[in-house]
PDB file of all heavy atoms in Angstrom:
ATOM      1  N   ASP A   1       0.857  -1.168  -0.065  1.00  0.00           N
ATOM      2  CA  ASP A   1      -0.015  -0.016   0.008  1.00  0.00           C
ATOM      3  C   ASP A   1       0.837   1.217   0.057  1.00  0.00           C
ATOM      4  O   ASP A   1       1.652   1.483   0.933  1.00  0.00           O
ATOM      5  CB  ASP A   1      -0.911   0.031   1.280  1.00  0.00           C
ATOM      6  CG  ASP A   1      -1.989   1.089   1.158  1.00  0.00           C
ATOM      7  OD1 ASP A   1      -1.994   1.903   0.211  1.00  0.00           O
ATOM      8  OD2 ASP A   1      -2.962   0.981   1.891  1.00  0.00           O
ATOM      9  N   ALA A   2       0.786   2.089  -1.097  1.00  0.00           N
ATOM     10  CA  ALA A   2       1.749   3.247  -1.192  1.00  0.00           C
ATOM     11  C   ALA A   2       0.957   4.432  -0.823  1.00  0.00           C
ATOM     12  O   ALA A   2       1.546   5.504  -0.923  1.00  0.00           O
ATOM     13  CB  ALA A   2       2.171   3.334  -2.667  1.00  0.00           C
ATOM     14  N   SER A   3      -0.414   4.372  -0.404  1.00  0.00           N
ATOM     15  CA  SER A   3      -1.213   5.614  -0.098  1.00  0.00           C
ATOM     16  C   SER A   3      -0.701   6.070   1.275  1.00  0.00           C
ATOM     17  O   SER A   3      -0.092   5.372   2.023  1.00  0.00           O
ATOM     18  CB  SER A   3      -2.715   5.216  -0.172  1.00  0.00           C
ATOM     19  OG  SER A   3      -2.968   4.247   0.899  1.00  0.00           O
ATOM     20  N   LYS A   4      -1.183   7.364   1.478  1.00  0.00           N
ATOM     21  CA  LYS A   4      -0.827   7.875   2.806  1.00  0.00           C
ATOM     22  C   LYS A   4      -1.633   7.254   3.904  1.00  0.00           C
ATOM     23  O   LYS A   4      -2.834   6.868   3.736  1.00  0.00           O
ATOM     24  CB  LYS A   4      -1.037   9.450   2.762  1.00  0.00           C
ATOM     25  CG  LYS A   4      -0.290  10.272   1.843  1.00  0.00           C
ATOM     26  CD  LYS A   4      -0.406  11.717   2.046  1.00  0.00           C
ATOM     27  CE  LYS A   4      -1.904  12.056   1.748  1.00  0.00           C
ATOM     28  NZ  LYS A   4      -2.170  13.587   1.944  1.00  0.00           N
ATOM     29  N   LEU A   5      -1.008   7.057   4.920  1.00  0.00           N
ATOM     30  CA  LEU A   5      -1.706   6.407   6.162  1.00  0.00           C
ATOM     31  C   LEU A   5      -2.847   7.258   6.550  1.00  0.00           C
ATOM     32  O   LEU A   5      -3.949   6.770   7.161  1.00  0.00           O
ATOM     33  CB  LEU A   5      -0.762   6.192   7.301  1.00  0.00           C
ATOM     34  CG  LEU A   5      -1.159   5.114   8.319  1.00  0.00           C
ATOM     35  CD1 LEU A   5      -1.530   3.817   7.759  1.00  0.00           C
ATOM     36  CD2 LEU A   5       0.022   4.920   9.402  1.00  0.00           C
ATOM     37  N   THR A   6      -2.772   8.697   6.523  1.00  0.00           N
ATOM     38  CA  THR A   6      -3.780   9.563   6.847  1.00  0.00           C
ATOM     39  C   THR A   6      -5.104   9.487   5.889  1.00  0.00           C
ATOM     40  O   THR A   6      -6.120  10.083   6.310  1.00  0.00           O
ATOM     41  CB  THR A   6      -3.389  10.969   6.915  1.00  0.00           C
ATOM     42  OG1 THR A   6      -2.571  11.330   5.569  1.00  0.00           O
ATOM     43  CG2 THR A   6      -2.312  11.176   8.023  1.00  0.00           C
ATOM     44  N   ASP A   7      -5.138   8.753   4.859  1.00  0.00           N
ATOM     45  CA  ASP A   7      -6.126   8.529   4.086  1.00  0.00           C
ATOM     46  C   ASP A   7      -7.054   7.524   4.882  1.00  0.00           C
ATOM     47  O   ASP A   7      -8.318   7.616   4.487  1.00  0.00           O
ATOM     48  CB  ASP A   7      -5.831   7.897   2.734  1.00  0.00           C
ATOM     49  CG  ASP A   7      -5.238   8.833   1.805  1.00  0.00           C
ATOM     50  OD1 ASP A   7      -5.313  10.120   1.998  1.00  0.00           O
ATOM     51  OD2 ASP A   7      -4.455   8.376   0.858  1.00  0.00           O
ATOM     52  N   ALA A   8      -6.605   6.913   5.772  1.00  0.00           N
ATOM     53  CA  ALA A   8      -7.593   5.923   6.641  1.00  0.00           C
ATOM     54  C   ALA A   8      -7.459   6.190   8.001  1.00  0.00           C
ATOM     55  O   ALA A   8      -8.568   5.754   8.733  1.00  0.00           O
ATOM     56  CB  ALA A   8      -6.985   4.460   6.276  1.00  0.00           C
ATOM     57  N   VAL A   9      -6.528   6.865   8.560  1.00  0.00           N
ATOM     58  CA  VAL A   9      -6.466   7.082  10.029  1.00  0.00           C
ATOM     59  C   VAL A   9      -6.727   8.502  10.288  1.00  0.00           C
ATOM     60  O   VAL A   9      -6.118   9.486   9.764  1.00  0.00           O
ATOM     61  CB  VAL A   9      -5.102   6.762  10.576  1.00  0.00           C
ATOM     62  CG1 VAL A   9      -5.010   6.976  12.059  1.00  0.00           C
ATOM     63  CG2 VAL A   9      -4.700   5.302  10.188  1.00  0.00           C
ATOM     64  N   THR A  10      -7.825   8.739  11.166  1.00  0.00           N
ATOM     65  CA  THR A  10      -8.136  10.142  11.538  1.00  0.00           C
ATOM     66  C   THR A  10      -8.364  10.227  12.969  1.00  0.00           C
ATOM     67  O   THR A  10      -8.256   9.216  13.809  1.00  0.00           O
ATOM     68  CB  THR A  10      -9.475  10.545  10.804  1.00  0.00           C
ATOM     69  OG1 THR A  10     -10.598   9.760  11.293  1.00  0.00           O
ATOM     70  CG2 THR A  10      -9.353  10.344   9.394  1.00  0.00           C
ATOM     71  N   THR A  11      -8.744  11.354  13.398  1.00  0.00           N
ATOM     72  CA  THR A  11      -9.064  11.666  14.898  1.00  0.00           C
ATOM     73  C   THR A  11     -10.162  10.814  15.338  1.00  0.00           C
ATOM     74  O   THR A  11     -10.356  10.333  16.472  1.00  0.00           O
ATOM     75  CB  THR A  11      -9.427  13.117  15.110  1.00  0.00           C
ATOM     76  OG1 THR A  11      -8.248  13.898  14.678  1.00  0.00           O
ATOM     77  CG2 THR A  11      -9.658  13.396  16.602  1.00  0.00           C
ATOM     78  N   LEU A  12     -11.085  10.427  14.451  1.00  0.00           N
ATOM     79  CA  LEU A  12     -12.115   9.550  14.815  1.00  0.00           C
ATOM     80  C   LEU A  12     -11.727   8.204  15.219  1.00  0.00           C
ATOM     81  O   LEU A  12     -12.360   7.568  16.124  1.00  0.00           O
ATOM     82  CB  LEU A  12     -13.197   9.397  13.620  1.00  0.00           C
ATOM     83  CG  LEU A  12     -14.411   8.569  13.940  1.00  0.00           C
ATOM     84  CD1 LEU A  12     -15.243   9.014  15.114  1.00  0.00           C
ATOM     85  CD2 LEU A  12     -15.324   8.457  12.685  1.00  0.00           C
ATOM     86  N   ASP A  13     -10.616   7.687  14.704  1.00  0.00           N
ATOM     87  CA  ASP A  13     -10.037   6.456  15.035  1.00  0.00           C
ATOM     88  C   ASP A  13      -9.511   6.565  16.488  1.00  0.00           C
ATOM     89  O   ASP A  13      -9.667   5.654  17.350  1.00  0.00           O
ATOM     90  CB  ASP A  13      -9.011   5.985  14.149  1.00  0.00           C
ATOM     91  CG  ASP A  13      -9.510   5.752  12.737  1.00  0.00           C
ATOM     92  OD1 ASP A  13     -10.342   4.855  12.596  1.00  0.00           O
ATOM     93  OD2 ASP A  13      -9.126   6.420  11.862  1.00  0.00           O
ATOM     94  N   ILE A  14      -8.910   7.672  16.880  1.00  0.00           N
ATOM     95  CA  ILE A  14      -8.452   7.914  18.176  1.00  0.00           C
ATOM     96  C   ILE A  14      -9.679   8.062  19.152  1.00  0.00           C
ATOM     97  O   ILE A  14      -9.512   7.444  20.260  1.00  0.00           O
ATOM     98  CB  ILE A  14      -7.744   9.213  18.200  1.00  0.00           C
ATOM     99  CG1 ILE A  14      -6.427   9.162  17.257  1.00  0.00           C
ATOM    100  CG2 ILE A  14      -7.245   9.616  19.672  1.00  0.00           C
ATOM    101  CD1 ILE A  14      -5.577  10.365  17.106  1.00  0.00           C
ATOM    102  N   ILE A  15     -10.644   8.742  18.811  1.00  0.00           N
ATOM    103  CA  ILE A  15     -11.909   8.848  19.632  1.00  0.00           C
ATOM    104  C   ILE A  15     -12.488   7.397  19.951  1.00  0.00           C
ATOM    105  O   ILE A  15     -12.691   7.112  21.203  1.00  0.00           O
ATOM    106  CB  ILE A  15     -12.983   9.740  19.052  1.00  0.00           C
ATOM    107  CG1 ILE A  15     -12.465  11.192  18.863  1.00  0.00           C
ATOM    108  CG2 ILE A  15     -14.250   9.633  19.861  1.00  0.00           C
ATOM    109  CD1 ILE A  15     -13.268  12.004  17.992  1.00  0.00           C
ATOM    110  N   LYS A  16     -12.630   6.639  18.926  1.00  0.00           N
ATOM    111  CA  LYS A  16     -13.292   5.253  19.129  1.00  0.00           C
ATOM    112  C   LYS A  16     -12.346   4.393  19.996  1.00  0.00           C
ATOM    113  O   LYS A  16     -12.774   3.653  20.876  1.00  0.00           O
ATOM    114  CB  LYS A  16     -13.416   4.644  17.764  1.00  0.00           C
ATOM    115  CG  LYS A  16     -14.771   5.188  17.016  1.00  0.00           C
ATOM    116  CD  LYS A  16     -15.020   4.462  15.791  1.00  0.00           C
ATOM    117  CE  LYS A  16     -16.275   4.810  15.110  1.00  0.00           C
ATOM    118  NZ  LYS A  16     -17.473   4.332  15.824  1.00  0.00           N
ATOM    119  N   THR A  17     -10.964   4.482  19.791  1.00  0.00           N
ATOM    120  CA  THR A  17     -10.086   3.721  20.502  1.00  0.00           C
ATOM    121  C   THR A  17     -10.092   4.222  22.105  1.00  0.00           C
ATOM    122  O   THR A  17     -10.090   3.305  22.948  1.00  0.00           O
ATOM    123  CB  THR A  17      -8.602   3.847  19.948  1.00  0.00           C
ATOM    124  OG1 THR A  17      -8.614   3.438  18.589  1.00  0.00           O
ATOM    125  CG2 THR A  17      -7.692   2.951  20.666  1.00  0.00           C
ATOM    126  N   ARG A  18     -10.074   5.441  22.289  1.00  0.00           N
ATOM    127  CA  ARG A  18     -10.112   5.965  23.597  1.00  0.00           C
ATOM    128  C   ARG A  18     -11.351   5.591  24.207  1.00  0.00           C
ATOM    129  O   ARG A  18     -11.402   5.223  25.436  1.00  0.00           O
ATOM    130  CB  ARG A  18     -10.134   7.577  23.493  1.00  0.00           C
ATOM    131  CG  ARG A  18      -9.998   8.165  24.922  1.00  0.00           C
ATOM    132  CD  ARG A  18     -10.066   9.612  24.917  1.00  0.00           C
ATOM    133  NE  ARG A  18      -9.024  10.293  24.218  1.00  0.00           N
ATOM    134  CZ  ARG A  18      -7.908  10.541  24.823  1.00  0.00           C
ATOM    135  NH1 ARG A  18      -7.683  10.316  26.037  1.00  0.00           N
ATOM    136  NH2 ARG A  18      -6.948  11.220  24.071  1.00  0.00           N
ATOM    137  N   ARG A  19     -12.618   5.556  23.677  1.00  0.00           N
ATOM    138  CA  ARG A  19     -13.853   5.149  24.210  1.00  0.00           C
ATOM    139  C   ARG A  19     -13.750   3.617  24.550  1.00  0.00           C
ATOM    140  O   ARG A  19     -14.356   3.224  25.535  1.00  0.00           O
ATOM    141  CB  ARG A  19     -15.001   5.416  23.285  1.00  0.00           C
ATOM    142  CG  ARG A  19     -15.255   6.883  23.081  1.00  0.00           C
ATOM    143  CD  ARG A  19     -16.572   7.070  22.336  1.00  0.00           C
ATOM    144  NE  ARG A  19     -16.980   8.456  22.409  1.00  0.00           N
ATOM    145  CZ  ARG A  19     -18.075   8.911  21.916  1.00  0.00           C
ATOM    146  NH1 ARG A  19     -19.029   8.087  21.366  1.00  0.00           N
ATOM    147  NH2 ARG A  19     -18.435  10.264  21.891  1.00  0.00           N
ATOM    148  N   HIS A  20     -13.142   2.874  23.700  1.00  0.00           N
ATOM    149  CA  HIS A  20     -12.958   1.443  24.080  1.00  0.00           C
ATOM    150  C   HIS A  20     -12.037   1.335  25.325  1.00  0.00           C
ATOM    151  O   HIS A  20     -12.370   0.508  26.126  1.00  0.00           O
ATOM    152  CB  HIS A  20     -12.207   0.854  22.849  1.00  0.00           C
ATOM    153  CG  HIS A  20     -12.073  -0.720  23.114  1.00  0.00           C
ATOM    154  ND1 HIS A  20     -13.002  -1.690  22.754  1.00  0.00           N
ATOM    155  CD2 HIS A  20     -10.967  -1.408  23.430  1.00  0.00           C
ATOM    156  CE1 HIS A  20     -12.558  -2.877  23.074  1.00  0.00           C
ATOM    157  NE2 HIS A  20     -11.391  -2.682  23.506  1.00  0.00           N
ATOM    158  N   ILE A  21     -10.916   1.940  25.374  1.00  0.00           N
ATOM    159  CA  ILE A  21     -10.127   1.877  26.562  1.00  0.00           C
ATOM    160  C   ILE A  21     -10.768   2.329  27.834  1.00  0.00           C
ATOM    161  O   ILE A  21     -10.733   1.629  28.947  1.00  0.00           O
ATOM    162  CB  ILE A  21      -8.774   2.723  26.430  1.00  0.00           C
ATOM    163  CG1 ILE A  21      -7.971   2.239  25.133  1.00  0.00           C
ATOM    164  CG2 ILE A  21      -8.004   2.825  27.598  1.00  0.00           C
ATOM    165  CD1 ILE A  21      -6.749   3.137  24.778  1.00  0.00           C
ATOM    166  N   LEU A  22     -11.548   3.363  27.758  1.00  0.00           N
ATOM    167  CA  LEU A  22     -12.331   3.812  28.963  1.00  0.00           C
ATOM    168  C   LEU A  22     -13.672   2.992  29.208  1.00  0.00           C
ATOM    169  O   LEU A  22     -14.421   3.455  30.112  1.00  0.00           O
ATOM    170  CB  LEU A  22     -12.639   5.357  28.720  1.00  0.00           C
ATOM    171  CG  LEU A  22     -11.411   6.333  28.628  1.00  0.00           C
ATOM    172  CD1 LEU A  22     -11.813   7.742  28.408  1.00  0.00           C
ATOM    173  CD2 LEU A  22     -10.588   6.243  30.009  1.00  0.00           C
ATOM    174  N   GLN A  23     -13.911   2.098  28.409  1.00  0.00           N
ATOM    175  CA  GLN A  23     -15.074   1.162  28.461  1.00  0.00           C
ATOM    176  C   GLN A  23     -16.341   2.060  28.332  1.00  0.00           C
ATOM    177  O   GLN A  23     -17.398   1.715  28.989  1.00  0.00           O
ATOM    178  CB  GLN A  23     -15.021   0.503  29.740  1.00  0.00           C
ATOM    179  CG  GLN A  23     -13.848  -0.525  29.868  1.00  0.00           C
ATOM    180  CD  GLN A  23     -13.828  -1.399  31.171  1.00  0.00           C
ATOM    181  OE1 GLN A  23     -14.561  -1.145  32.120  1.00  0.00           O
ATOM    182  NE2 GLN A  23     -13.137  -2.519  31.142  1.00  0.00           N
ATOM    183  N   ILE A  24     -16.289   3.139  27.643  1.00  0.00           N
ATOM    184  CA  ILE A  24     -17.504   3.888  27.377  1.00  0.00           C
ATOM    185  C   ILE A  24     -18.316   3.166  26.173  1.00  0.00           C
ATOM    186  O   ILE A  24     -19.553   3.138  26.287  1.00  0.00           O
ATOM    187  CB  ILE A  24     -17.150   5.401  26.942  1.00  0.00           C
ATOM    188  CG1 ILE A  24     -16.436   6.034  28.066  1.00  0.00           C
ATOM    189  CG2 ILE A  24     -18.361   6.146  26.355  1.00  0.00           C
ATOM    190  CD1 ILE A  24     -15.853   7.420  27.658  1.00  0.00           C
ATOM    191  N   GLU A  25     -17.627   2.709  25.197  1.00  0.00           N
ATOM    192  CA  GLU A  25     -18.244   1.991  24.084  1.00  0.00           C
ATOM    193  C   GLU A  25     -17.222   1.115  23.457  1.00  0.00           C
ATOM    194  O   GLU A  25     -16.257   1.548  22.855  1.00  0.00           O
ATOM    195  CB  GLU A  25     -18.663   3.114  22.984  1.00  0.00           C
ATOM    196  CG  GLU A  25     -19.358   2.485  21.849  1.00  0.00           C
ATOM    197  CD  GLU A  25     -19.830   3.581  20.760  1.00  0.00           C
ATOM    198  OE1 GLU A  25     -19.538   4.797  20.996  1.00  0.00           O
ATOM    199  OE2 GLU A  25     -20.425   3.096  19.836  1.00  0.00           O
ATOM    200  N   GLU A  26     -17.462  -0.161  23.664  1.00  0.00           N
ATOM    201  CA  GLU A  26     -16.506  -1.088  23.081  1.00  0.00           C
ATOM    202  C   GLU A  26     -16.631  -1.242  21.582  1.00  0.00           C
ATOM    203  O   GLU A  26     -17.638  -0.960  20.969  1.00  0.00           O
ATOM    204  CB  GLU A  26     -16.715  -2.519  23.656  1.00  0.00           C
ATOM    205  CG  GLU A  26     -16.417  -2.605  25.105  1.00  0.00           C
ATOM    206  CD  GLU A  26     -16.441  -3.960  25.663  1.00  0.00           C
ATOM    207  OE1 GLU A  26     -16.635  -5.051  24.857  1.00  0.00           O
ATOM    208  OE2 GLU A  26     -16.185  -4.223  26.873  1.00  0.00           O
ATOM    209  N   LEU A  27     -15.469  -1.648  20.932  1.00  0.00           N
ATOM    210  CA  LEU A  27     -15.365  -1.636  19.461  1.00  0.00           C
ATOM    211  C   LEU A  27     -16.307  -2.722  19.027  1.00  0.00           C
ATOM    212  O   LEU A  27     -16.485  -3.827  19.652  1.00  0.00           O
ATOM    213  CB  LEU A  27     -13.965  -1.744  19.022  1.00  0.00           C
ATOM    214  CG  LEU A  27     -13.024  -0.624  19.368  1.00  0.00           C
ATOM    215  CD1 LEU A  27     -11.532  -1.023  19.011  1.00  0.00           C
ATOM    216  CD2 LEU A  27     -13.487   0.581  18.462  1.00  0.00           C
ATOM    217  N   GLY A  28     -16.841  -2.640  17.919  1.00  0.00           N
ATOM    218  CA  GLY A  28     -18.060  -3.484  17.508  1.00  0.00           C
ATOM    219  C   GLY A  28     -17.520  -4.909  17.102  1.00  0.00           C
ATOM    220  O   GLY A  28     -18.413  -5.863  17.233  1.00  0.00           O
ATOM    221  N   ASN A  29     -16.392  -5.151  16.481  1.00  0.00           N
ATOM    222  CA  ASN A  29     -15.988  -6.534  16.197  1.00  0.00           C
ATOM    223  C   ASN A  29     -14.429  -6.695  16.414  1.00  0.00           C
ATOM    224  O   ASN A  29     -13.719  -5.836  16.698  1.00  0.00           O
ATOM    225  CB  ASN A  29     -16.347  -6.752  14.780  1.00  0.00           C
ATOM    226  CG  ASN A  29     -15.642  -5.997  13.827  1.00  0.00           C
ATOM    227  OD1 ASN A  29     -14.344  -5.944  13.680  1.00  0.00           O
ATOM    228  ND2 ASN A  29     -16.339  -5.116  12.977  1.00  0.00           N
ATOM    229  N   PRO A  30     -14.092  -7.959  16.462  1.00  0.00           N
ATOM    230  CA  PRO A  30     -12.600  -8.305  16.814  1.00  0.00           C
ATOM    231  C   PRO A  30     -11.664  -7.591  15.904  1.00  0.00           C
ATOM    232  O   PRO A  30     -10.474  -7.350  16.208  1.00  0.00           O
ATOM    233  CB  PRO A  30     -12.435  -9.761  16.833  1.00  0.00           C
ATOM    234  CG  PRO A  30     -13.758 -10.306  16.116  1.00  0.00           C
ATOM    235  CD  PRO A  30     -14.734  -9.269  16.312  1.00  0.00           C
ATOM    236  N   TYR A  31     -12.038  -7.473  14.584  1.00  0.00           N
ATOM    237  CA  TYR A  31     -11.177  -6.771  13.622  1.00  0.00           C
ATOM    238  C   TYR A  31     -10.864  -5.445  13.896  1.00  0.00           C
ATOM    239  O   TYR A  31      -9.764  -4.847  13.587  1.00  0.00           O
ATOM    240  CB  TYR A  31     -11.651  -7.038  12.133  1.00  0.00           C
ATOM    241  CG  TYR A  31     -11.883  -8.507  11.840  1.00  0.00           C
ATOM    242  CD1 TYR A  31     -13.187  -9.044  11.810  1.00  0.00           C
ATOM    243  CD2 TYR A  31     -10.743  -9.294  11.555  1.00  0.00           C
ATOM    244  CE1 TYR A  31     -13.355 -10.414  11.509  1.00  0.00           C
ATOM    245  CE2 TYR A  31     -10.944 -10.623  11.234  1.00  0.00           C
ATOM    246  CZ  TYR A  31     -12.199 -11.188  11.280  1.00  0.00           C
ATOM    247  OH  TYR A  31     -12.369 -12.533  10.932  1.00  0.00           O
ATOM    248  N   GLN A  32     -11.800  -4.652  14.421  1.00  0.00           N
ATOM    249  CA  GLN A  32     -11.590  -3.240  14.857  1.00  0.00           C
ATOM    250  C   GLN A  32     -10.633  -3.230  15.986  1.00  0.00           C
ATOM    251  O   GLN A  32      -9.830  -2.358  16.131  1.00  0.00           O
ATOM    252  CB  GLN A  32     -12.990  -2.661  15.254  1.00  0.00           C
ATOM    253  CG  GLN A  32     -13.857  -2.279  14.119  1.00  0.00           C
ATOM    254  CD  GLN A  32     -15.068  -1.685  14.564  1.00  0.00           C
ATOM    255  OE1 GLN A  32     -15.916  -2.342  15.266  1.00  0.00           O
ATOM    256  NE2 GLN A  32     -15.229  -0.417  14.157  1.00  0.00           N
ATOM    257  N   VAL A  33     -10.692  -4.275  17.032  1.00  0.00           N
ATOM    258  CA  VAL A  33      -9.810  -4.324  18.059  1.00  0.00           C
ATOM    259  C   VAL A  33      -8.390  -4.518  17.472  1.00  0.00           C
ATOM    260  O   VAL A  33      -7.347  -3.845  17.993  1.00  0.00           O
ATOM    261  CB  VAL A  33     -10.177  -5.439  19.013  1.00  0.00           C
ATOM    262  CG1 VAL A  33      -9.108  -5.732  20.071  1.00  0.00           C
ATOM    263  CG2 VAL A  33     -11.546  -5.053  19.682  1.00  0.00           C
ATOM    264  N   ILE A  34      -8.312  -5.354  16.520  1.00  0.00           N
ATOM    265  CA  ILE A  34      -6.945  -5.737  15.963  1.00  0.00           C
ATOM    266  C   ILE A  34      -6.421  -4.387  15.323  1.00  0.00           C
ATOM    267  O   ILE A  34      -5.153  -4.050  15.423  1.00  0.00           O
ATOM    268  CB  ILE A  34      -6.981  -6.881  14.980  1.00  0.00           C
ATOM    269  CG1 ILE A  34      -7.304  -8.077  15.599  1.00  0.00           C
ATOM    270  CG2 ILE A  34      -5.748  -7.022  14.148  1.00  0.00           C
ATOM    271  CD1 ILE A  34      -7.745  -9.228  14.806  1.00  0.00           C
ATOM    272  N   ALA A  35      -7.239  -3.625  14.605  1.00  0.00           N
ATOM    273  CA  ALA A  35      -6.863  -2.345  13.939  1.00  0.00           C
ATOM    274  C   ALA A  35      -6.444  -1.310  14.931  1.00  0.00           C
ATOM    275  O   ALA A  35      -5.475  -0.598  14.588  1.00  0.00           O
ATOM    276  CB  ALA A  35      -7.956  -1.852  13.163  1.00  0.00           C
ATOM    277  N   ALA A  36      -6.928  -1.409  16.170  1.00  0.00           N
ATOM    278  CA  ALA A  36      -6.486  -0.401  17.053  1.00  0.00           C
ATOM    279  C   ALA A  36      -5.176  -0.623  17.754  1.00  0.00           C
ATOM    280  O   ALA A  36      -4.580   0.248  18.344  1.00  0.00           O
ATOM    281  CB  ALA A  36      -7.549  -0.295  18.214  1.00  0.00           C
ATOM    282  N   ASP A  37      -4.810  -1.807  17.690  1.00  0.00           N
ATOM    283  CA  ASP A  37      -3.438  -2.252  18.231  1.00  0.00           C
ATOM    284  C   ASP A  37      -2.370  -1.834  17.283  1.00  0.00           C
ATOM    285  O   ASP A  37      -1.638  -2.703  16.654  1.00  0.00           O
ATOM    286  CB  ASP A  37      -3.427  -3.740  18.572  1.00  0.00           C
ATOM    287  CG  ASP A  37      -2.033  -4.225  19.070  1.00  0.00           C
ATOM    288  OD1 ASP A  37      -1.325  -3.349  19.673  1.00  0.00           O
ATOM    289  OD2 ASP A  37      -1.770  -5.396  18.962  1.00  0.00           O
ATOM    290  N   VAL A  38      -2.078  -0.607  17.034  1.00  0.00           N
ATOM    291  CA  VAL A  38      -1.133  -0.091  16.049  1.00  0.00           C
ATOM    292  C   VAL A  38       0.330  -0.443  16.339  1.00  0.00           C
ATOM    293  O   VAL A  38       1.200  -0.526  15.459  1.00  0.00           O
ATOM    294  CB  VAL A  38      -1.333   1.333  15.692  1.00  0.00           C
ATOM    295  CG1 VAL A  38      -2.687   1.603  15.275  1.00  0.00           C
ATOM    296  CG2 VAL A  38      -0.945   2.248  16.952  1.00  0.00           C
ATOM    297  N   ASN A  39       0.675  -0.561  17.640  1.00  0.00           N
ATOM    298  CA  ASN A  39       2.025  -0.920  17.917  1.00  0.00           C
ATOM    299  C   ASN A  39       2.292  -2.400  18.097  1.00  0.00           C
ATOM    300  O   ASN A  39       3.521  -2.856  18.441  1.00  0.00           O
ATOM    301  CB  ASN A  39       2.486  -0.184  19.283  1.00  0.00           C
ATOM    302  CG  ASN A  39       1.645  -0.639  20.560  1.00  0.00           C
ATOM    303  OD1 ASN A  39       0.928  -1.622  20.365  1.00  0.00           O
ATOM    304  ND2 ASN A  39       1.937  -0.045  21.556  1.00  0.00           N
ATOM    305  N   GLY A  40       1.262  -3.244  17.793  1.00  0.00           N
ATOM    306  CA  GLY A  40       1.475  -4.735  17.713  1.00  0.00           C
ATOM    307  C   GLY A  40       1.750  -5.339  18.999  1.00  0.00           C
ATOM    308  O   GLY A  40       2.452  -6.348  19.137  1.00  0.00           O
TER     309      GLY A  40
END
C-alpha cells in the first residue's frame, strides 16, 4: 500500500479507541480491536 496512512487514520479512530479503553463504548468486532493495536 503506497497511499498515505492519513487517508485511513483520523481523529475519529483515536476517539473510538479512547472510548474502548475507557469502556464507554467497546469496538464492534474483533477486527476493529486488531486495527486499534497499532504498535503490535
Side-chain angles (χ1 to χ4, degrees):
D1 194 347
S3 63
K4 294 189 302 181
L5 199 53
T6 49
D7 289 338
V9 182
T10 69
T11 300
L12 182 56
D13 298 300
I14 297 175
I15 295 170
K16 283 182 170 288
T17 302
R18 187 188 294 277
R19 290 187 172 191
H20 179 86
I21 293 173
L22 296 176
Q23 298 183 343
I24 295 173
E25 182 181 0
E26 293 190 358
L27 296 173
N29 63 62
Y31 300 105
Q32 289 179 292
V33 175
I34 294 169
D37 177 28
V38 300
N39 65 1

